[in-house]
Amino acid sequence: KKYHFDIVILQDQSSNPAEHPANFYDSVRDLYKYFTDLGTTCILYETWTRKKGMNSWSPYEMAQRLCASYTAIGQELGIKVSHCGTAQYDILTNHPEIETHNSDGSHPSSYISYVVALCHYATIYGRSPIGINYKYN
């Protein structure tokens, strides 16, 4: 309450929205109310699948569950979703030459962290980051 932020990006623990969607929805509803009462816009940060999935889920199933949870609560509350997990899954499946995870197979590589920033840019500004004058190295 001490500071005013135009935008707050909300991210849950990476697998919780897939494993416990009802718990995730309740948390988002509470945070959404808190921040919007302060006049702040919320954006949801869709998390990513693990390299080998988790539990009995394949990476595809985990990615689908995450996307479904973020999309559902985003639609319910009218919150934009930054579909970082969907972008990461696309790269994981269509560009095997790109390392998508760090050595633990769970957290994103630096390349994916850059993709996350591009997804957030597109979500916040409503335009493609293609053409931004920046070189990833």
Side-chain angles (χ1 to χ4, degrees):
K1 291 181 181 180
K2 184 177 178 182
Y3 302 100
H4 176 76
F5 297 96
D6 295 328
I7 297 171
V8 171
I9 297 178
L10 303 175
Q11 174 198 356
D12 200 334
Q13 184 271 341
S14 64
S15 63
N16 189 53
E19 291 184 287
H20 309 286
N23 173 272
F24 169 63
Y25 298 157
D26 288 344
S27 297
V28 172
R29 288 181 191 110
D30 291 345
L31 289 168
Y32 174 77
K33 179 173 178 4
Y34 177 80
F35 285 114
T36 57
D37 285 352
L38 294 173
T40 304
T41 298
C42 294
I43 293 176
L44 295 173
Y45 174 176
E46 179 193 279
T47 52
W48 53 90
T49 187
R50 294 186 178 164
K51 192 168 192 167
K52 295 185 179 184
M54 66 174 286
N55 300 336
S56 61
W57 306 329
S58 67
Y60 173 79
E61 290 169 305
M62 186 174 181
Q64 290 299 305
R65 287 174 178 264
L66 289 166
C67 182
S69 289
Y70 278 94
T71 299
I73 195 65
Q75 287 176 343
E76 176 187 317
L77 299 174
I79 302 173
K80 289 181 181 179
V81 179
S82 184
H83 287 285
C84 306
T86 301
Q88 178 264 3
Y89 180 76
D90 180 63
I91 294 165
L92 175 70
T93 57
N94 294 310
H95 298 280
E97 73 280 8
I98 296 173
E99 187 56 57
T100 56
H101 293 79
N102 71 20
S103 61
D104 69 4
S106 179
H107 294 92
S109 66
S110 58
Y111 181 86
I112 294 301
S113 295
Y114 178 68
V115 170
V116 165
L118 296 175
C119 289
H120 288 338
Y121 177 93
T123 303
I124 291 167
Y125 295 105
R127 63 179 184 256
S128 172
I130 293 173
I132 291 176
N133 190 16
Y134 178 81
K135 288 190 176 187
Y136 174 80
N137 60 25

